[in-house]
Amino acid sequence: MKLPLRAKPAADTAASPIAPPPRRRRRKEWMNRPERSTTTAIKFIVWVALRLGRRAARLLLYPICLYFVLFSRKPRRASALFLSKALGRAPGFGDLFRHYHVFAACLLDRVFFLNDQSDDFDIRVHGEDIVIDLMERGEGCLLLGAHMGSFEAIRMLGHRQRDLRVSLVMYEENARKINSVLNAINPLLSMEVIGLGRPDSMLRVRERLDQGHFVGMLADRTLDGEEEVRLPFLGQPAGFALGPFQLAAMLKRPVVLMVGLYQGGRCYDVHFERIADFSDVPVQERPGLVRWAAGRFADRLEHYAQSSPYNWFNFYDFWK
């Protein structure tokens, strides 16, 4: 059975809100932002979480978040900009602190998800039938997420769907950092990360898809020189990458959106949504479907950004 969402080839692209990217771009702001946390610091947090437990580790989040709200000027300004658009009002100090705290809480919980300690969490899955259908087809899919909530919450689903296999794709520098952290949590996890930019990267992605894997990547940021489109997002155009959808078209795979939204305490809501299916799309229709799929991704991301605004973890000017 094919996924039902299909776009008709765009015949009226001139009237579309999608605008072509400029030929020359400034370096992306999120790439210019230095990382405040080092691998050593992350490993220390992992140690505290696994040795002292979640309750004790969460107590550390309050002074940490207060420090960053007070002294991280540019991220705080970006948080205020985003929250003003998502909430429809000027955010107060409590909103900014909550934004930072949700981010920190999700980072902490990732330690437990990655260490297969998810039994104590209350995780509600919406759209699980989509996952089951794709697993039964055995074709694999591209699972697109964003810097929103916890992408690692999908590991909990692996306890209920034992045949579910997920591989993560990210750029090489990030892959090295993530593998270092994963080794600190659970050495068995490091081989699940595929670094882009290597000669064999696409071959490994295709191989995993052929094996029925869900190949996950975060699709809400773009790199210098990467083809993008400007799409409406919370009332203002923002750049979205076409690469993930072009990859799905080239490999003839379905695309599914996944977000794991933190709801406080030990509660998460995990949502799966069909975006598009490139399994049987004629070559001449692919560009239209690629752009339509990017637009649908941006539209659904906007929906979740408004419904769960404190789960948005792009602490830079997303529209710049």
Side-chain angles (χ1 to χ4, degrees):
M1 180 177 66
K2 300 297 182 185
L3 300 181
L5 286 175
R6 286 285 177 82
K8 295 181 179 180
D12 56 342
T13 52
S16 168
I18 299 172
R23 290 195 176 190
R24 301 182 65 184
R25 300 184 184 87
R26 292 177 297 178
R27 184 171 171 81
K28 300 298 181 182
E29 183 177 350
W30 71 267
M31 298 176 66
N32 289 328
R33 187 65 51 80
E35 295 289 344
R36 285 177 173 263
S37 58
T38 64
T39 300
T40 301
I42 293 175
K43 289 181 179 180
F44 172 73
I45 295 173
V46 170
W47 183 89
V48 170
L50 296 182
R51 297 299 186 278
L52 303 183
R54 186 174 183 266
R55 180 176 297 181
R58 280 176 65 88
L59 293 177
L60 298 176
L61 300 185
Y62 292 96
I64 292 173
C65 291
L66 181 61
Y67 169 82
F68 279 101
V69 171
L70 292 176
F71 297 107
S72 60
R73 181 173 57 88
K74 288 184 177 181
R76 184 181 67 242
R77 190 165 56 205
S79 171
L81 173 63
F82 168 78
L83 289 176
S84 67
K85 293 177 179 293
L87 298 174
R89 58 175 174 81
F93 182 84
D95 294 304
L96 297 175
F97 184 87
R98 183 179 177 186
H99 195 189
Y100 277 71
H101 188 267
V102 170
F103 174 57
C106 286
L107 282 178
L108 177 63
D109 287 345
R110 287 177 184 176
V111 175
F112 300 100
F113 289 137
L114 292 171
N115 203 44
D116 288 332
Q117 296 179 355
S118 59
D119 292 341
D120 293 334
F121 289 90
D122 177 16
I123 302 181
R124 298 167 295 223
V125 181
H126 310 269
E128 189 171 359
D129 57 308
I130 297 173
V131 176
I132 295 173
D133 175 55
L134 289 169
M135 289 172 56
E136 290 176 347
R137 291 165 56 175
E139 298 177 347
C141 79
L142 287 185
L143 187 66
L144 300 189
H147 292 81
M148 172 182 286
S150 179
F151 195 80
E152 285 79 7
I154 191 178
R155 293 182 182 275
M156 180 283 316
L157 191 59
H159 291 276
R160 293 162 52 170
Q161 303 294 337
R162 293 293 181 179
D163 293 331
L164 176 63
R165 294 169 294 176
V166 179
S167 300
L168 300 180
V169 177
M170 59 188 64
Y171 287 91
E172 190 66 22
E173 182 179 355
N174 289 337
R176 285 194 296 268
K177 293 178 181 178
I178 292 296
N179 272 331
S180 177
V181 175
L182 292 180
N183 275 317
I185 301 173
N186 185 341
L188 297 177
L189 298 174
S190 59
M191 293 302 292
E192 297 182 9
V193 178
I194 301 173
L196 289 178
R198 298 173 58 90
D200 64 341
S201 296
M202 289 302 98
L203 291 176
R204 293 181 63 193
V205 169
R206 182 187 292 273
E207 181 182 68
R208 294 299 179 93
L209 289 170
D210 289 341
Q211 294 170 352
H213 284 223
F214 282 37
V215 176
M217 62 181 68
L218 302 180
D220 55 331
R221 295 182 182 178
T222 60
L223 289 176
D224 288 333
E226 185 176 11
E227 188 175 0
E228 65 177 42
V229 291
R230 303 290 295 180
L231 297 166
F233 188 75
L234 295 177
Q236 187 175 341
F240 286 86
L242 288 177
F245 308 99
Q246 292 169 335
L247 178 62
M250 181 179 67
L251 299 180
K252 300 181 179 181
R253 304 290 177 169
V255 178
V256 173
L257 168 68
M258 180 267 179
V259 291
L261 303 174
Y262 179 60
Q263 304 297 351
R266 295 179 177 272
C267 300
Y268 283 82
D269 280 320
V270 177
H271 298 264
F272 294 93
E273 293 191 19
R274 296 178 173 95
I275 296 296
D277 189 351
F278 293 90
S279 300
D280 190 26
V281 178
V283 174
Q284 65 272 17
E285 296 183 12
R286 288 179 187 173
L289 182 54
V290 163
R291 285 164 173 74
W292 179 88
R296 177 166 170 77
F297 175 81
D299 179 69
R300 299 310 297 157
L301 201 61
E302 180 183 66
H303 165 77
Y304 289 112
Q306 290 178 312
S307 66
S308 299
Y310 302 103
N311 278 260
W312 180 258
F313 300 153
N314 284 308
F315 288 92
Y316 66 95
D317 187 345
F318 190 73
W319 296 267
K320 188 173 181 179

